[in-house]
Amino acid sequence: MLSGIGPKDHLEELGIPVKVDLPVGKNLQDKYGALVGPFIVNPGTSFVLDRDINFRTLREWQLYGTGPIQSSRIEACNTFSSSYAKRDGYAYFQDIHTYFLAWSIDSRFKQALSQAFNVNEKILKNYIGKAKGFDSFFQMTTLNYPFGSGEMRLKDRNPHSQPLLDPKYLQHPRDVEVLVEAIKFSVNLVENTTSFQEINAKLIPIPLPGCEVHVYRSDSYWECFGRHLTITAYKYCATTPIGKDRSDPRAVVDSKLRVFGTKGLRIVDASVLENKLIPAYHVTMEAVAELASAFILNDWKI
């Protein structure tokens, strides 16, 4: 956009000469959801930083590759199709993805939550902080294919300024309904399965601050919970999506990643993918990069 390729009205508003009028930034998508937890478990069954990182465990990892240090703290994942996907005839459409984060509460973890996800200080202190001193874990429950989309805009003409991102999380009613179902599934998985009950796993039994007006564990409560603990999985994409031609009101590049209305300019990153169609994972981008290399080699007859 700084070079003049983007939405005409926005560029003119900032005094940037318009070279090509394209909907750059108009379709920002992300994989996001809610941080569900903390779930309290038996002592010694999760990870506590101050207890589990010491000379002995470091030596165990160096010698044998075992022990608590070997784990990334993402211990497992699950995916499933929501009732909404099944209702619409997409039973194979796994629109919910959950990560299990085995990390108990300590001061550094609270700081990490604040920095990475901008979790409210009141929630950190009066809700998540209540699990300090216990073995616990979280579930990062996300929407694989959100229906809503946001927008990326320029702050000003300065190339060193950060862009303005408005992801518009949970503004589409379908996304709200699916996230509520996902949160309920995550809680039920922990509290009503044999494996988790063997370690006495349960959600911390207090209402989330800010959601006390709702009946505890009702759908409206879980919606409030999801809105207060909304987090990103950092899968931003779709600000310059692929399309057939310029008649597509959302498209910026063609099927060979060439920017419409330009010569010699391609985009090869997650912005060309729509999360509604394909997740913007690292492996996905490796495939896009391989395709782009093949396109360039073919165009130059190399």
Side-chain angles (χ1 to χ4, degrees):
M1 286 192 279
L2 288 167
S3 64
I5 301 172
K8 183 174 182 291
D9 292 346
H10 180 45
L11 298 185
E12 289 179 341
E13 176 187 4
L14 296 176
I16 298 173
V18 180
K19 294 190 173 100
V20 186
D21 181 16
L22 289 172
V24 176
K26 289 290 188 180
N27 192 38
L28 175 65
Q29 296 175 22
D30 187 22
K31 178 180 180 181
Y32 70 94
L35 185 67
V36 185
F39 296 94
I40 309 299
V41 293
N42 287 340
T45 54
S46 187
F47 174 77
V48 179
L49 183 67
D50 295 332
R51 179 193 68 198
D52 296 330
I53 301 299
N54 51 51
F55 178 79
R56 181 186 62 79
T57 57
L58 178 61
R59 192 64 174 159
E60 178 185 357
W61 176 70
Q62 289 177 325
L63 292 175
Y64 310 111
T66 58
I69 299 178
Q70 71 171 329
S71 172
S72 68
R73 308 270 63 88
I74 299 178
E75 299 290 354
C77 294
N78 70 57
T79 62
F80 72 96
S81 302
S82 70
S83 62
Y84 299 93
K86 294 174 183 176
R87 180 195 66 190
D88 295 342
Y90 298 99
Y92 62 88
F93 198 69
Q94 296 177 331
D95 53 342
I96 296 171
H97 183 194
T98 296
Y99 307 80
F100 287 80
L101 311 178
W103 197 311
S104 303
I105 304 304
D106 56 51
S107 58
R108 280 159 287 195
F109 186 54
K110 288 169 63 178
Q111 182 181 14
L113 286 177
S114 177
Q115 292 176 343
F117 303 123
N118 198 29
V119 176
N120 181 276
E121 179 62 34
K122 183 178 179 181
I123 291 176
L124 286 173
K125 179 181 179 181
N126 298 327
Y127 183 75
I128 293 175
K130 296 296 185 182
K132 187 174 182 180
F134 296 92
D135 278 60
S136 60
F137 70 93
F138 291 84
Q139 293 185 66
M140 182 176 171
T141 301
T142 63
L143 306 176
N144 260 346
Y145 307 100
F147 273 54
S149 57
E151 184 175 8
M152 179 184 72
R153 295 168 59 86
L154 294 176
K155 180 181 179 181
D156 50 43
R157 298 173 58 181
N158 185 347
H160 299 291
S161 296
Q162 295 293 329
L164 303 176
L165 302 179
D166 181 4
K168 300 183 181 179
Y169 293 149
L170 298 176
Q171 291 195 17
H172 195 291
R174 167 70 174 258
D175 294 339
V176 176
E177 293 168 344
V178 174
L179 184 60
V180 167
E181 181 174 322
I183 294 172
K184 291 166 65 176
F185 179 89
S186 295
V187 174
N188 185 62
L189 179 67
V190 171
E191 296 188 338
N192 294 292
T193 56
T194 301
S195 296
F196 279 110
Q197 286 314 295
E198 288 176 352
I199 57 174
N200 292 313
K202 59 182 181 298
L203 182 66
I204 187 170
I206 56 175
L208 185 74
C211 299
E212 300 94 338
V213 296
H214 301 280
V215 176
Y216 187 53
R217 296 199 175 200
S218 65
D219 283 3
S220 62
Y221 172 81
W222 291 128
E223 178 182 341
C224 179
F225 187 101
R227 291 186 181 278
H228 277 73
L229 281 172
T230 307
I231 59 173
T232 174
Y234 291 100
K235 300 292 188 295
Y236 298 114
C237 62
T239 49
T240 61
I242 296 172
K244 182 178 180 181
D245 52 43
R246 293 188 69 174
S247 65
D248 184 339
R250 290 148 53 101
V252 175
V253 301
D254 65 15
S255 59
K256 292 190 175 181
L257 308 179
R258 297 171 299 198
V259 178
F260 293 125
T262 69
K263 291 184 179 180
L265 180 60
R266 282 184 167 91
I267 298 176
V268 188
D269 59 31
S271 65
V272 303
L273 299 180
E274 293 208 59
N275 203 30
K276 298 173 184 177
L277 305 176
I278 182 170
Y281 295 130
H282 178 82
V283 66
T284 315
M285 295 320 306
E286 287 186 347
V288 172
E290 290 286 346
L291 278 173
S293 299
F295 295 151
I296 294 168
L297 289 172
N298 183 67
D299 286 353
W300 287 88
K301 309 299 180 186
I302 297 174

